[in-house]
Amino acid sequence: MADFHRLAVAEVVQETADAVSLVLRVPSELAERYAYRPGQFLTVRVPGPDGTSLARCYSLSSSPHDGGDLMVTVKRVAEGRGSNWICDHLSPGMELDALPPEGTFTPRTLDADLLLVAAGSGITPVMSIIRAVLARGRGHLVLLYANRDERSVIFAEELRGLAEAHPDRLVVAHWLESVQGLPTRAHLAGLAGPFTGPDGREVFLCGPTPFMDAATHALRDLGVPRKRLHIERFVSLTEDPFESAGPQPDTAGPDSTVEVELDGQRHRFRWPAGTKLLDLLRERGLDAPFSCREGACSACACRVVGGEVKMLRNEVLDQTDLDEGYVLACQSLPVTEEVTVSYDE
Ligand code: FES
């Protein structure tokens, strides 16, 4: 059984007609367990059909420096069971089961200059980063923020206030589809171009899939290397982390050996045939990054520099990534007897 706790809903803030922020109170004895980095997410339990439950991941919009409470911001998704239940049913005083914060969509330092690219509710983890960098860091931020129309802009007021308070450190460029049409790959390349490139700022990108696809292509067109591009995709989990760790894949085939470069250190392990690379590394005590564990977010991406692996599922890496040797550790099984992977390249 996963390590979750029941948190009280202290406040529900209506951000726009179809988005709310939930303020969740963390008791002092759990403060350390629920400490987080800007850009991370919470996995919460919501009611499923016929008395079952479902796990849903929502990004934190608060900054760790705002105080002890956690804030997640949730936008209604058409037919979305979790988001509609939260928007329709939660009120102060109710409780929510939540796993401790997780995720790798988080800057290494608050002092670096960043390009932030968000659309719709993709602003949520980006807002956490903005709040943290402006409060505690020295980084300069450019935010490209696309929305359907003016009324659907989450955090419009706060962003205006922050840009006025930090005119030399935060620039916000809004894109409204009602005025400018859908942002295309060419539009996004034109907007991002001055701020990035092979040696430019690190980029944090979050939004709906068509926007993310257009933005990813635009950034790769500009020469942004994969390791400087941080992508957060919202996924609906098919396994329930509140109940089990999920089934293991087949264990057919001979074992292999893997050499791993991570954070400047080299490690060598026997790699059992049916074990996913991420599971192996975490079992061996390595701090290998991950988020969804379902092949849908790319937080676990690493590069195969020797040998071969096969992926069980890949919903996020494109052909350019694959050609460059990137794989998803959470979905990778060994193919050759010797495999070498690097998280540092
Ligand atoms: S952890 Fe999300 S793709 Fe591997």
Side-chain angles (χ1 to χ4, degrees):
M1 186 74 78
D3 165 30
F4 68 86
H5 295 274
R6 193 154 285 185
L7 304 180
V9 177
E11 205 181 328
V12 179
V13 182
Q14 195 74 42
E15 300 286 0
T16 64
D18 55 7
V20 298
S21 290
L22 306 176
V23 178
L24 301 172
R25 186 126 302 159
V26 179
S28 54
E29 65 273 17
L30 292 177
E32 205 172 312
R33 197 70 197 89
Y34 282 78
Y36 64 102
R37 287 176 285 145
Q40 290 195 302
F41 65 86
L42 275 190
T43 305
V44 301
R45 176 144 60 178
V46 299
D50 304 325
T52 60
S53 69
L54 300 169
R56 290 289 180 266
C57 302
Y58 296 110
S59 291
L60 290 150
S61 52
S62 51
S63 150
H65 316 103
D66 289 348
D69 292 342
L70 305 176
M71 185 161 87
V72 291
T73 302
V74 180
K75 183 176 177 179
R76 271 184 208 278
V77 177
E79 314 290 323
R81 187 178 280 274
S83 62
N84 282 296
W85 181 80
I86 285 174
C87 289
D88 290 337
H89 290 96
L90 277 186
S91 57
M94 294 174 75
E95 293 180 318
L96 207 52
D97 289 341
L99 292 165
E102 280 186 63
T104 55
F105 187 73
T106 178
R108 272 185 282 274
T109 160
L110 301 180
D111 295 331
D113 296 347
L114 305 174
L115 173 63
L116 308 166
V117 184
S121 58
I123 190 63
T124 304
V126 168
M127 194 67 199
S128 174
I129 293 171
I130 292 173
R131 286 172 165 154
V133 169
L134 293 179
R136 292 297 170 96
R138 293 193 301 266
H140 293 74
L141 306 173
V142 172
L143 168 65
L144 307 181
Y145 185 17
N147 280 283
R148 204 173 46 231
D149 54 35
E150 209 164 340
R151 280 180 312 173
S152 56
V153 182
I154 304 172
F155 303 127
E157 274 304 305
E158 184 175 350
L159 284 169
R160 192 173 304 131
L162 288 170
E164 280 171 13
H166 304 273
D168 53 335
R169 294 187 57 210
L170 174 64
V171 174
V172 182
H174 286 282
W175 182 283
L176 297 179
E177 289 168 18
S178 57
V179 179
Q180 295 152 286
L182 280 176
T184 63
R185 176 173 176 173
H187 289 137
L188 292 165
L191 291 168
F195 307 104
T196 191
D199 303 313
R201 301 174 181 219
E202 293 207 17
V203 185
F204 285 78
L205 167 62
C206 187
T209 301
F211 176 83
M212 301 265 275
D213 290 345
T216 303
H217 283 123
L219 292 161
R220 298 307 298 266
D221 291 347
L222 292 166
V224 178
R226 190 72 184 70
K227 65 182 180 186
R228 299 181 74 80
L229 177 54
H230 307 269
I231 300 174
E232 184 77 327
R233 288 185 191 267
F234 297 130
V235 290
S236 289
L237 302 180
T238 51
E239 292 169 9
D240 185 351
F242 289 93
E243 298 298 343
S244 75
Q248 289 294 310
D250 275 353
T251 55
D255 292 354
S256 302
T257 301
V258 62
E259 189 163 310
V260 183
E261 189 180 7
L262 175 66
D263 297 331
Q265 301 212 314
R266 285 190 168 270
H267 311 265
R268 198 173 165 83
F269 303 119
R270 195 177 66 80
W271 186 359
T275 302
K276 295 171 183 168
L277 178 58
L278 177 68
D279 295 340
L280 173 76
L281 301 183
R282 303 225 32 121
E283 272 167 24
R284 296 306 181 99
L286 264 55
D287 193 20
F290 69 95
S291 179
C292 72
R293 286 184 180 266
E294 297 203 349
C297 77
S298 84
C300 64
C302 58
R303 197 166 184 187
V304 175
V305 292
E308 199 183 327
V309 307
K310 68 175 174 202
M311 281 191 282
L312 298 171
R313 191 172 170 197
N314 167 29
E315 295 186 12
V316 61
L317 298 180
D318 62 19
Q319 197 54 49
T320 315
D321 299 323
L322 300 174
D323 292 346
E324 291 174 1
Y326 285 100
V327 296
L328 303 171
C330 73
Q331 298 297 316
S332 291
L333 300 177
V335 171
T336 50
E337 270 177 33
E338 289 276 339
V339 179
T340 308
V341 301
S342 173
Y343 283 86
D344 296 345
E345 287 196 14

Short mmCIF file of all heavy atoms in Angstrom, two decimals, residues 290-293 295-298 300 328 330, ligand 1:
data_model
loop_
_atom_site.label_atom_id
_atom_site.label_comp_id
_atom_site.label_asym_id
_atom_site.label_seq_id
_atom_site.Cartn_x
_atom_site.Cartn_y
_atom_site.Cartn_z
N PHE A 290 11.77 10.31 -12.35
CA PHE A 290 10.56 9.74 -12.96
C PHE A 290 9.38 10.59 -12.56
O PHE A 290 9.45 11.42 -11.65
CB PHE A 290 10.33 8.29 -12.51
CG PHE A 290 9.96 8.17 -11.06
CD1 PHE A 290 8.62 8.11 -10.68
CD2 PHE A 290 10.93 8.16 -10.08
CE1 PHE A 290 8.27 8.02 -9.34
CE2 PHE A 290 10.59 8.06 -8.73
CZ PHE A 290 9.26 7.99 -8.36
N SER A 291 8.28 10.37 -13.24
CA SER A 291 7.05 11.05 -12.85
C SER A 291 5.88 10.09 -13.03
O SER A 291 5.44 9.48 -12.08
CB SER A 291 6.89 12.34 -13.66
OG SER A 291 5.73 12.99 -13.32
N CYS A 292 5.41 9.89 -14.28
CA CYS A 292 4.17 9.10 -14.46
C CYS A 292 4.39 7.60 -14.36
O CYS A 292 3.48 6.86 -14.02
CB CYS A 292 3.55 9.44 -15.82
SG CYS A 292 4.48 8.78 -17.24
N ARG A 293 5.56 7.10 -14.69
CA ARG A 293 5.88 5.66 -14.77
C ARG A 293 5.06 4.95 -15.84
O ARG A 293 4.94 3.74 -15.83
CB ARG A 293 5.64 4.94 -13.44
CG ARG A 293 6.69 5.23 -12.37
CD ARG A 293 6.39 4.38 -11.14
NE ARG A 293 7.34 4.59 -10.07
CZ ARG A 293 8.42 3.84 -9.89
NH1 ARG A 293 8.68 2.84 -10.71
NH2 ARG A 293 9.24 4.08 -8.88
N GLY A 295 5.16 5.90 -19.38
CA GLY A 295 5.60 6.18 -20.74
C GLY A 295 4.97 7.40 -21.36
O GLY A 295 4.93 7.53 -22.58
N ALA A 296 4.48 8.32 -20.53
CA ALA A 296 3.70 9.42 -21.10
C ALA A 296 4.23 10.81 -20.74
O ALA A 296 3.62 11.79 -21.14
CB ALA A 296 2.25 9.30 -20.63
N CYS A 297 5.32 10.90 -19.98
CA CYS A 297 5.71 12.26 -19.55
C CYS A 297 7.16 12.62 -19.91
O CYS A 297 7.48 13.79 -19.95
CB CYS A 297 5.51 12.41 -18.05
SG CYS A 297 6.79 11.62 -17.07
N SER A 298 8.02 11.68 -20.10
CA SER A 298 9.43 11.83 -20.45
C SER A 298 10.34 12.27 -19.30
O SER A 298 11.51 12.54 -19.51
CB SER A 298 9.63 12.78 -21.66
OG SER A 298 9.66 14.12 -21.27
N CYS A 300 11.61 10.47 -17.19
CA CYS A 300 12.62 9.44 -16.94
C CYS A 300 13.58 9.27 -18.12
O CYS A 300 14.35 8.32 -18.15
CB CYS A 300 11.91 8.11 -16.67
SG CYS A 300 10.98 7.56 -18.12
N LEU A 328 12.78 5.86 -22.65
CA LEU A 328 12.10 6.08 -21.37
C LEU A 328 12.50 4.96 -20.43
O LEU A 328 12.17 3.79 -20.67
CB LEU A 328 10.59 6.10 -21.58
CG LEU A 328 10.08 7.12 -22.58
CD1 LEU A 328 8.59 6.90 -22.87
CD2 LEU A 328 10.32 8.55 -22.07
N CYS A 330 11.39 4.15 -17.61
CA CYS A 330 10.27 3.47 -16.95
C CYS A 330 9.64 2.40 -17.84
O CYS A 330 8.83 1.61 -17.36
CB CYS A 330 9.20 4.46 -16.49
SG CYS A 330 8.22 5.15 -17.83
S1 FES B 1 8.20 8.40 -15.85
FE1 FES B 1 6.86 9.33 -17.30
S2 FES B 1 7.56 8.49 -19.18
FE2 FES B 1 8.73 7.47 -17.71
#
